Amino acid sequence: MHRSLRHRTITLLFGTLASALPAAHAADAAPRESLVSFSTTAQVEVTMDQLAISLQAVKEGQDAATVQAQLKQALDAALAEAKKTAAPGAMEVRSGSFSLHPRYAKEGRIGGWQGQAELVLEGKDMQRVAAAAGRLGAAPVGMAVTSVAYAISRELAEKHEAEVSAQAIQKYRAKAEAHARQFGFASWQLREVSVQAAEQGGRPRVPMPYAKSAIAMSSDAPVPVEAGKGVIAATVSGSVALTK
């Protein structure tokens, strides 16, 4: 009985070792590699080529319907004036926010109404946009400039995206080579990668206050404008396999 038990135990042990041998040989035969993930970025600085100016009409009175009618009249007059010099791409004209809200007296009752109507001028012809804003600020329209914002146009972004993407890809390849060498591997292979391009400093538009409060223009002189710089960037991210 004792021998039989020992025999079965040895047989099972040999069987376990035998089944493990093919797996050990397969592991030795498999290529030795390690995955590493990283990203690279390239960018180019450009002058922003699109301008947006927001103007606002403010009306107030005792009756909500009267204030609303006055706002509509002011907005209609501003749209008619702005459309005289509008041109596709050079200057687009659109209405913005339109709001009406009560003003409360000390007793908590409604003491009157105040409303705002907004008009937005936007385009790549900055002098045209600035001149139109100046005319709308003068009488009889009398709208006030509330913000001036610059952006990178889609056309300008697309012009540079291929260039910065190629630079980012080249930097990614060089970094993969450096990682392989520094970790003691002979070569590398790309596993997965993504390339993304974006504009920075242009989109999304962040309105830049033209002043602490809205500015009513005293004449039809153009609003002074000067475009700043924006950045078009491309980022390559992914992982590579480092191989012996």
Side-chain angles (χ1 to χ4, degrees), residues 66-90:
T66 301
V67 175
Q68 182 173 320
Q70 291 174 345
L71 287 172
K72 184 179 182 301
Q73 182 180 7
L75 186 59
D76 287 342
L79 283 168
E81 177 62 32
K83 287 179 179 179
K84 292 178 182 178
T85 53

Side-chain angles (χ1 to χ4, degrees), residues 52-135:
I53 297 180
S54 298
L55 301 101
Q56 187 181 78
V58 179
K59 302 293 181 181
E60 58 183 31
Q62 297 300 311
D63 179 66
T66 301
V67 175
Q68 182 173 320
Q70 291 174 345
L71 287 172
K72 184 179 182 301
Q73 182 180 7
L75 186 59
D76 287 342
L79 283 168
E81 177 62 32
K83 287 179 179 179
K84 292 178 182 178
T85 53
M91 188 182 81
E92 307 284 348
V93 181
R94 60 181 174 84
S95 57
S97 62
F98 191 106
S99 63
L100 184 67
H101 54 272
R103 291 189 291 106
Y104 292 95
K106 292 182 179 179
E107 299 80 8
R109 291 178 292 183
I110 295 177
W113 292 83
Q114 185 179 66
Q116 297 88 29
E118 184 184 45
L119 182 70
V120 181
L121 309 177
E122 183 177 30
K124 292 194 289 185
D125 188 339
M126 295 189 185
Q127 295 307 315
R128 183 190 297 253
V129 174
R135 290 194 304 274

Side-chain angles (χ1 to χ4, degrees), residues 18-238:
S19 63
L21 288 175
H25 286 304
D28 290 339
R32 299 173 61 187
E33 65 177 28
S34 293
L35 288 177
V36 59
S37 300
F38 58 94
S39 63
T40 58
T41 300
Q43 62 183 36
V44 60
E45 189 178 68
V46 298
T47 300
M48 290 183 280
D49 64 335
Q50 191 159 299
L51 171 65
I53 297 180
S54 298
L55 301 101
Q56 187 181 78
V58 179
K59 302 293 181 181
E60 58 183 31
Q62 297 300 311
D63 179 66
T66 301
V67 175
Q68 182 173 320
Q70 291 174 345
L71 287 172
K72 184 179 182 301
Q73 182 180 7
L75 186 59
D76 287 342
L79 283 168
E81 177 62 32
K83 287 179 179 179
K84 292 178 182 178
T85 53
M91 188 182 81
E92 307 284 348
V93 181
R94 60 181 174 84
S95 57
S97 62
F98 191 106
S99 63
L100 184 67
H101 54 272
R103 291 189 291 106
Y104 292 95
K106 292 182 179 179
E107 299 80 8
R109 291 178 292 183
I110 295 177
W113 292 83
Q114 185 179 66
Q116 297 88 29
E118 184 184 45
L119 182 70
V120 181
L121 309 177
E122 183 177 30
K124 292 194 289 185
D125 188 339
M126 295 189 185
Q127 295 307 315
R128 183 190 297 253
V129 174
R135 290 194 304 274
L136 294 178
V141 179
M143 296 193 83
V145 174
T146 56
S147 70
V148 177
Y150 298 92
I152 298 172
S153 69
R154 172 48 52 188
E155 294 78 10
L156 182 60
E158 290 177 347
K159 179 180 177 181
H160 292 280
E161 278 175 2
E163 172 191 350
V164 294
S165 294
Q167 292 176 3
I169 292 171
Q170 189 62 35
K171 290 175 68 175
Y172 191 89
R173 293 175 60 88
K175 199 168 184 178
E177 293 279 358
H179 281 328
R181 182 175 63 255
Q182 292 164 358
F183 282 112
F185 287 83
S187 61
W188 60 275
Q189 290 183 336
L190 191 64
R191 282 292 182 262
E192 61 179 24
V193 67
S194 67
V195 181
Q196 295 181 328
E199 305 90 60
Q200 302 171 6
R203 284 187 171 87
R205 289 191 183 86
V206 180
M208 295 184 296
Y210 195 70
K212 291 184 179 180
S213 59
I215 297 177
M217 305 297 289
S218 59
S219 67
D220 61 354
V223 174
V225 293
E226 183 175 355
K229 297 289 185 179
V231 172
I232 300 172
T235 299
V236 179
S237 57

